[in-house]
Amino acid sequence: KAMSTDSRAVRRRRPHATSTMAFSLTMSSAMIAAPVKVRSAVVSRKAARVSHVVRAADGDAEAAPDAFAGLKPTKASEFKAMSNDDLLAEMTAAKKMLFELRMRQSTRKEYKGHHFGILKTKIAQIRTVKREREVAEGVNKRDSRKIKREERVANLYL
């Protein structure tokens, strides 16, 4: 059955409302860089802004930013000359710093993201040196884990 073109409903495509609207911004050049008058003196908009500086009180000053200032990547060979007690102290200090860095991140204080990697690498290097010494002494993996658990009980940060 053939239908004539007259009986068919002709569908027109309607344009979107946004395409028919003409957006025109009418800003005069005087409004863009217009100076602000303050009691007969002309001051630019930049100079009219007031900046607020918030400083910590004497008791609120933190020494923590200085602790992260000298943080640099290390090598495992630097830890091989240390004693086991020194390694333990160094790992504890690195874990404390890592914890403090996580606290800074969670409280949205200022921190540098690459310090996470530096500290994690440092902890891994110390653990590697400790495990190498255990292997040289003939300590198996099971006993090594037992020693590690005992150290953790003695020190909260391990």
Side-chain angles (χ1 to χ4, degrees), residues 92-105:
T92 304
K95 285 203 169 192
K96 281 182 182 179
M97 287 178 72
L98 189 61
F99 176 77
E100 186 179 332
L101 201 58
R102 285 191 183 117
M103 286 298 110
R104 283 173 169 257
Q105 183 185 28

Side-chain angles (χ1 to χ4, degrees), residues 4-15:
S4 65
T5 56
D6 296 334
S7 63
R8 257 191 269 166
V10 178
R11 296 177 74 184
R12 277 191 180 168
R13 188 170 180 190
R14 297 173 82 190

Side-chain angles (χ1 to χ4, degrees), residues 5 11 19 24 39-41 48 55 58 60 63 67 82 88-89 91 95 107 118 136:
T5 56
R11 296 177 74 184
S19 63
S24 63
R39 291 191 187 186
S40 74
R55 292 194 175 98
D58 293 334
D60 294 342
M82 293 179 150
L88 194 63
M91 187 179 338
K95 285 203 169 192
T107 55
I118 291 172

